[in-house]
Amino acid sequence: MKYLNAGNSRLPIVFIFTILFFKQIIAQDDHPIIPIWKNGAPGFEQLKNIPEEAKDWWVKNINNPTLTVFFPPKNMANGTAVIICPGGGHSALVYNAEGKDAAAYLNRLGVTAFVLKYRLFREPGSPYTIEHTKQDIFRAIRFIKSEAKLLQIDTAKLGVMGFSAGGELAAWLSYHFNEAHTVQHDHIDSFYARPAFQILIYPGPLAVPNNVPNNAPPTFLLASNGDTCCSESIVQLMMLHRKAKVPVEMHLFQFGSHAFNMGKTSKYITLKNWPDRLADWMNDNGWLHL
């Protein structure tokens, strides 16, 4: 466990309590659900116990952001981990097809997956803004880094993955990792927010920054050419990466449109098999190696 600000005598107590608290959560379930703030999102603590709404493909009314952990088989675990941000236009989360299904695939590669339920600033009646959504993804990676030893992952191999609107979260983190996006700063917020790599699957237009910093993480981009929403995003991002000399791989498929998820229900062979292109990229970069 990493200790920060060791001159503060209260920190060891906080760390001991944190370890015990999260050991208990992780022991409860094969897919533990961990709040990224123990007492609820700062400024909205009174909303944390309001139940979420879920039906068919979507989850809504998220007031207590969480990470659901999907561990790979122990004999396959390679220390790599990915935070998955499902899409849904910031008004819902496509939790199964762009969360659980992605986690299951990554688990088969030996990767630990964390599916993030984040606050939705476009949901009707939402009290949240885009800043609150940014706080959630920044807190998520810092929280995982703070508990890396307990979660048995290598922080140098911790990446982020996003679909559609979730790709915007991933990109906000990957291109703006030096920003704070904190409210009530604690020891977790002192961890460096830069991910080791990012995976953007038909990311929304808000993913595209004015420029890509030259220390941005290596990036995997993928979409269908017929996607009127989000194919342009990956083309723009590829050019920005090339200009910044930041490693990038892009796949723009001829067939299909938006929201083909993990390709399981697509009629196109290229889209059914796109996750294998991701595995190839991760392998070539060494993230699937022990």
Side-chain angles (χ1 to χ4, degrees):
M1 178 65 67
K2 183 176 180 179
Y3 280 74
L4 303 176
N5 302 322
N8 188 332
S9 61
R10 292 175 296 174
L11 275 182
I13 297 174
V14 172
F15 274 90
I16 290 169
F17 177 82
T18 301
I19 290 171
L20 294 174
F21 176 70
F22 290 110
K23 274 187 175 178
Q24 182 181 21
I25 290 177
I26 289 173
Q28 288 173 353
D29 195 343
D30 290 338
H31 302 307
I33 299 172
I34 305 176
I36 58 177
W37 285 282
K38 180 179 177 293
N39 296 315
F44 297 90
E45 292 87 351
Q46 74 279 9
L47 304 180
K48 75 169 187 172
N49 293 322
I50 297 176
E52 296 172 357
E53 299 174 23
K55 184 178 180 182
D56 302 325
W57 57 269
W58 55 260
V59 176
K60 299 180 180 179
N61 200 35
I62 297 160
N63 296 288
N64 189 21
T66 60
L67 291 162
T68 303
V69 190
F70 293 79
F71 292 106
K74 288 187 177 180
N75 64 334
M76 294 180 61
N78 49 38
T80 298
V82 174
I83 304 168
I84 302 169
C85 305
H90 300 291
S91 61
L93 291 187
V94 187
Y95 185 75
N96 291 332
E98 294 181 352
K100 292 171 65 176
D101 288 354
Y105 182 82
L106 290 170
N107 282 174
R108 293 196 291 272
L109 302 179
V111 175
T112 302
F114 301 88
V115 181
L116 175 64
K117 286 183 178 177
Y118 55 89
R119 287 173 287 176
L120 303 166
F121 65 88
R122 288 183 181 149
E123 184 177 0
S126 173
Y128 306 117
T129 67
I130 191 172
E131 173 57 26
H132 297 122
T133 306
K134 290 180 179 180
Q135 290 169 11
D136 293 347
I137 183 59
F138 274 73
R139 178 70 174 192
I141 194 168
R142 289 168 172 149
F143 172 83
I144 292 168
K145 287 187 175 185
S146 76
E147 297 296 335
K149 183 176 181 181
L150 178 61
L151 294 165
Q152 298 183 337
I153 65 163
D154 181 351
T155 58
K157 298 165 67 178
L158 172 59
V160 62
M161 177 180 193
F163 295 79
S164 193
E168 294 175 336
L169 270 74
W172 294 334
L173 182 67
S174 297
Y175 300 130
H176 305 281
F177 48 82
N178 285 321
E179 297 176 8
H181 298 292
T182 60
V183 181
Q184 298 171 356
H185 188 88
D186 59 19
H187 73 279
I188 292 173
D189 294 323
S190 298
F191 283 81
Y192 191 34
R194 182 186 182 276
F197 57 88
Q198 72 165 334
I199 302 159
L200 302 183
I201 311 303
Y202 44 84
L206 295 179
V208 182
N210 291 329
N211 57 74
V212 167
N214 59 14
N215 59 343
T219 296
F220 180 91
L221 303 169
L222 185 142
S224 289
N225 194 47
D227 185 344
T228 56
C229 157
C230 303
S231 58
E232 184 69 21
S233 299
I234 70 166
V235 175
Q236 292 175 340
L237 286 168
M238 181 195 69
M239 296 305 294
L240 288 170
H241 272 256
R242 287 166 60 86
K243 183 177 180 180
K245 296 182 170 54
V246 173
V248 63
E249 179 166 319
M250 187 186 84
H251 296 264
L252 183 63
F253 294 114
Q254 176 183 350
F255 299 106
S257 56
H258 190 63
F260 47 80
N261 314 129
M262 293 298 290
K264 293 168 64 173
T265 61
S266 177
K267 64 181 181 180
Y268 300 113
I269 301 299
T270 49
L271 297 187
K272 281 184 179 294
N273 294 330
W274 82 254
D276 294 338
R277 307 291 73 76
L278 172 62
D280 293 343
W281 177 76
M282 295 182 75
N283 236 323
D284 284 345
N285 280 280
W287 291 308
L288 301 185
H289 304 168
L290 291 173

